[in-house]
Structures are given as C-alpha cells and as structure tokens.
Amino acid sequence: MNKCRLLTNNITKKIPSMASATALMTALVVVLYLGFFQDLSGTRISLHDAVEQQDDSHITPTSQISKQRHFWSKCVRDNSVESISGFDTLPDHIKNFLYYQHCLHFPMLLDTPHKCGGPKGSAKVFLLLVIKSSPMNYDRREVLRNTWAKERLQNGVWIRRLFISGTQDDGYNKKRLNRLLALEQRKYNDILQWDFHDSFFNLTLKQILFLEWMERNCPHVRFMLNGDDDVFANTDNMILYLKNLPDNNGSKHLYVGDVIKGAKPIRSPNSKYYIPTQVHNSGPYPAYCGGGGFLLSGYTALIMYNMSHSTPLLPIDDVYLAMCLDKAGLHPESHLGVKTSGLYIPDAKADRYDPCYFREMLLVHRFLSVNMYVMWHDIQNPDLNCSPSSVL
Ligand SMILES: *[C@@H]1O[C@H](CO)[C@@H](O)[C@H](O)[C@H]1NC(C)=O
Ligand SMILES: *[C@@H]1O[C@H](CO)[C@@H](O)[C@H](O)[C@H]1NC(C)=O
Ligand SMILES: *[C@@H]1O[C@H](CO)[C@@H](O)[C@H](O)[C@H]1NC(C)=O
C-alpha cells in the first residue's frame, strides 16, 4: 500500500488540466483497485478474475463452487440458500455454513512461505507437522514447540512445524488474539493464519486453504502429519515408520491413521457432528482417518487438493478429505499405533500415563498439555524398563 501512496503524491502534484486530471484519477482508481486485491489476497489475481467474481457474486449456489474458488475477494453471504426446504429450522451454525460455503479464499494474515525452503527445496523436508490450532490455544502451541513438534534433524531427516489458524472473536478481542499470533510468529515462524472465523464447521475450509498453500510453497514435502493441537504424537516413531516404508519416499499414496469405516451422517440435531440432509444427502461416508491425527504423503495431499476443486464441501474435515481421495480411488490404511479416540487400557488400576504405553505409539488423541512435557521426556529415557505386560 505504501507504493500506492507514493503514486498518489506524484500524480496529484502534476495535474495540468481537468481532462487529464480525470484520466489520471481513473488510472489511480484502477491502480488502487488492483492493489487492493493484491494486498489482501496475498496471491496474484488478474483483473479478469476480479470482474468475473463480481458478476457471479449474487448467484452463488453450490454449482458455482469450483468456479469461484480460484480467486479471492470479499465474499458475500449467499442469501439464495434460504430457499432450501427446511432452512429456517436449521441450527445457526449450519445456516452459517450454507450461507458462506462458497467462500473459499481469505486473505492471509500470517504466512511462512519459506518453511520448506521454497517449492524446489521442499523435498528436503521429510515430515511436516501440520497442526490445527485456534488462536486461543497458546498454551498448547507452546508445549508442542518444546516437545514432539520441535523442529529438528531426526534420524538424518528434517522435521518442520506449522500451526494453521483462523481468527476468533470480534473487535478488540480479535485484534488482541491476532497480536498474540503475530508475536509468536516473530519468535517461532511457524504459523499460517487466514482471516476467517476459526470454528469447528470451518475446519474443512482451513484444510483446503492449507492444501492450497502447500501446493504453492511445499509441493515436494515427503510426508505430513495432519492433526489437532491436543494430541500426543510420537514423532520419533513416525520418522522410523515412514523411513522404513518399503518403496515409498512420499511420491506414492500414503494415508494412514485410525480408520473409521461405515460411518453415516449423524441426523440428530444435538450432535456436534449433526449433518442435515440439506447439507449432505447421500449414504454412508467413505472410510476415513480420524482427524485427531493421520499421516499422508506429499503425493496424496496434492491429489486431495486437486479433487477438492470438484467435491462439494462437507463441514466435517476428516470425512471431507477422505471423500476427495475416494473420488481418486485412494483409500485409508489403518495403523494400530494411531489412537484418535484415546488409549484403551484394560486394567482400571493401571497408570494411564505409563510411558511404556506411549513409547510404542504413533499418536494418541486428547492429551493434556500439563502432562505432555513429562511424557515426552520419559519416553526418551534409554533406561525406561517396560515389561512385556505393560505394552498394550
Ligand atoms: C466460516 O468463516 C467465514 C469467514 O469468517 C464466516 O463468515 C462463516 O460464518 C464461518 N462459518 C462457520 C460455519 O463458522
Ligand atoms: C522417490 O522415489 C521415486 C521412485 O519411486 C524416484 O523416482 C524419485 O526420484 C524419488 N524421490 C526422491 C526425492 O528421492
Ligand atoms: C488434477 O486433476 C485433473 C483432472 O481433474 C488432472 O488432469 C490432473 O493431472 C490432476 N493433477 C494432479 C496433480 O493429480
């Protein structure tokens, strides 16, 4: 925007006559207009795209999805969804999803474009940790930075870390939380933040925005862990597992986690996962990896993104990503070391935080921050003595 201001000064000083003044003002408006789009979207956008967007903005049913997601401008609410039968009876968060589901581009507030050493260098990143985190979850991020998500050379390969985030709250609170993330960014350089409301039903949006970023900035990354900020991930084990894959260096399909099969849309309005027929009308979901955390190859992530262009949004992100892959004929694979619905320990008297359980795992969902540091320390202890019976 500074450039624009300089231009303004130069232009206004030189006005010779009314006619050329008009021409100059017109030019200025065009320059500001283009600058506006460039600044806010953070990506290239042609005037052609911008004009096309304006034409479409008042007719934005789902059929327009694939066309609209190629560019960004301030996205307007699609009121035509109110004519969907039963719309009035839907809970507010579902209405909101329907109103805004065509909005797939948001300006980036924080970027780390060189996280992978540029697109060409990105093959050097072996495991990229992609952690969904809301601005409020400062304590979780801080603990992860000091434990399993530490950036490091592990077993000869690089681990890198990114938190992906939207915004929370409004007005002053939103600004303060954005300032928190900006301060963290200055210190750690590990955040991607877009200016959309970070809610459960916007997680799919978050994933798509990340995949778009990844295709641009990190297309050759070998593997990724995609997960929540409240999991315990044994990243040392993940490296061992991934390095020992026969015949896959990230250039082939990999989508591994806690696989959920035969799940159907939940039609009970009280559930967090409620999906009314107005949002998704077909039968069971494809098999998917629970979103607490799963591993995927760079190859698979690019296909996911590609397929998302033609896959109508479903606001449950882990199911949605599986739908995209399903379209390409790619399926998840189960790994017993990934426990996204928690660790089941048969003996009620046993210590739930026995490091012997966690030493053998890849990932366990729902792990309190306060226990993370000790656990991460304990599982690295070479003297840790685990009897066979204490291993699940
Ligand atoms: C998703 O984010 C957009 C942009 O902030 C917002 O308008 C919309 O209401 C959000 N949707 C949900 C379901 O929270
Ligand atoms: C990964 O393996 C494929 C063969 O499956 C090979 O063509 C490619 O060069 C390898 N990539 C890297 C970065 O080693
Ligand atoms: C993306 O999909 C299109 C067809 O839908 C295909 O032509 C293209 O090769 C795909 N690209 C990748 C990277 O899979």
Side-chain angles (χ1 to χ4, degrees):
M1 275 301 173
N2 284 341
K3 233 189 214 165
C4 289
R5 229 171 267 131
L6 280 177
L7 250 175
T8 320
N9 290 340
N10 286 344
I11 289 170
T12 43
K13 265 184 230 148
K14 288 184 196 155
I15 294 177
S17 71
M18 272 313 280
S20 52
T22 313
L24 283 167
M25 284 313 284
T26 312
L28 180 61
V29 165
V30 170
V31 165
L32 285 173
Y33 181 70
L34 286 172
F36 174 77
F37 279 104
Q38 215 140 35
D39 263 32
L40 290 181
S41 68
T43 52
R44 293 148 283 114
I45 181 164
S46 70
L47 184 58
H48 170 74
D49 283 344
V51 169
E52 191 178 15
Q53 160 63 21
Q54 286 203 321
D55 289 340
D56 284 344
S57 58
H58 50 283
I59 38 146
T60 41
T62 40
S63 61
Q64 297 285 331
I65 283 176
S66 61
K67 212 173 153 208
Q68 290 223 353
R69 58 172 56 168
H70 297 294
F71 33 79
W72 180 87
S73 75
K74 183 110 186 113
C75 195
V76 283
R77 181 168 125 154
D78 172 14
N79 287 321
S80 75
V81 298
E82 287 168 5
S83 63
I84 295 172
S85 94
F87 181 85
D88 284 341
T89 66
L90 297 172
D92 284 348
H93 67 288
I94 306 251
K95 285 184 184 160
N96 242 330
F97 168 75
L98 291 168
Y99 275 136
Y100 292 101
Q101 64 172 324
H102 61 287
C103 302
L104 291 163
H105 286 261
F106 291 89
M108 275 193 105
L109 300 177
L110 296 173
D111 193 2
T112 315
H114 302 297
K115 175 56 70 179
C116 298
K120 287 212 185 79
S122 58
K124 292 205 185 79
V125 178
F126 187 78
L127 179 61
L128 180 64
L129 309 172
V130 183
I131 306 159
K132 298 174 270 181
S133 188
S134 305
M136 212 87 90
N137 296 349
Y138 170 67
D139 57 340
R140 294 184 183 177
R141 287 190 294 277
E142 206 59 25
V143 169
L144 299 195
R145 286 171 176 133
N146 288 303
T147 56
W148 59 260
K150 224 180 273 177
E151 297 198 316
R152 64 196 189 273
L153 193 60
Q154 172 70 30
N155 213 332
V157 295
W158 279 105
I159 299 181
R160 295 286 185 215
R161 171 188 70 237
L162 278 175
F163 293 104
I164 55 176
S165 197
T167 64
Q168 273 175 307
D169 271 330
D170 300 304
Y172 188 70
N173 282 340
K174 171 176 167 178
K175 273 197 188 141
R176 189 171 39 204
L177 285 167
N178 286 352
R179 239 170 67 70
L180 166 66
L181 288 192
L183 286 170
E184 291 179 56
Q185 180 81 328
R186 205 192 295 171
K187 186 156 179 196
Y188 302 106
N189 237 324
D190 61 358
I191 297 174
L192 305 180
Q193 187 193 20
W194 291 266
D195 196 2
F196 69 88
H197 179 59
D198 197 320
S199 65
F200 179 66
F201 260 33
N202 263 342
L203 281 178
T204 300
L205 170 65
K206 186 184 272 195
Q207 298 278 19
I208 293 173
L209 289 169
F210 169 74
L211 290 170
E212 181 196 24
W213 181 95
M214 179 246 165
E215 189 191 59
R216 189 165 66 240
N217 296 296
C218 205
H220 303 301
V221 62
R222 306 296 189 85
F223 300 100
M224 292 191 277
L225 164 66
N226 186 304
D228 291 345
D229 59 4
D230 61 345
V231 300
F232 182 87
N234 191 334
T235 42
D236 290 356
N237 278 355
M238 284 178 184
I239 296 289
L240 274 179
Y241 165 70
L242 293 169
K243 277 187 80 170
N244 286 321
L245 286 173
D247 198 31
N248 191 350
N249 58 14
S251 62
K252 293 193 181 130
H253 175 56
L254 182 98
Y255 173 42
V256 165
D258 198 346
V259 176
I260 297 154
K261 286 196 180 112
K264 291 186 198 128
I266 292 179
R267 306 295 191 197
S268 140
N270 295 325
S271 164
K272 180 184 177 190
Y273 302 97
Y274 173 48
I275 295 293
T277 51
Q278 289 93 335
V279 170
H280 182 77
N281 203 4
S282 16
Y285 296 142
Y288 66 98
C289 291
F294 56 85
L295 292 165
L296 74 170
S297 62
Y299 168 87
T300 297
L302 291 178
I303 294 189
M304 241 176 205
Y305 180 54
N306 197 355
M307 291 299 144
S308 76
H309 296 311
S310 53
T311 311
L313 242 57
L314 181 87
I316 300 188
D317 68 316
D318 46 9
V319 175
Y320 179 75
L321 295 177
M323 283 175 165
C324 294
L325 287 181
D326 193 57
K327 270 192 140 169
L330 298 178
H331 306 292
E333 194 186 316
S334 215
H335 192 299
L336 290 176
V338 180
K339 305 278 185 201
T340 53
S341 41
L343 199 55
Y344 173 68
I345 299 171
D347 181 356
K349 279 182 297 200
D351 175 9
R352 301 186 37 77
Y353 289 101
D354 184 340
C356 288
Y357 299 138
F358 291 84
R359 197 178 62 169
E360 311 300 325
M361 290 289 152
L362 287 183
L363 183 136
V364 179
H365 193 194
R366 297 249 180 274
F367 198 91
L368 292 179
S369 285
V370 71
N371 298 317
M372 198 80 80
Y373 198 75
V374 170
M375 184 61 77
W376 181 245
H377 181 264
D378 286 355
I379 63 164
Q380 327 257 336
N381 178 5
D383 299 328
L384 179 64
N385 195 3
C386 298
S387 68
S389 66
S390 65
V391 174
L392 291 178

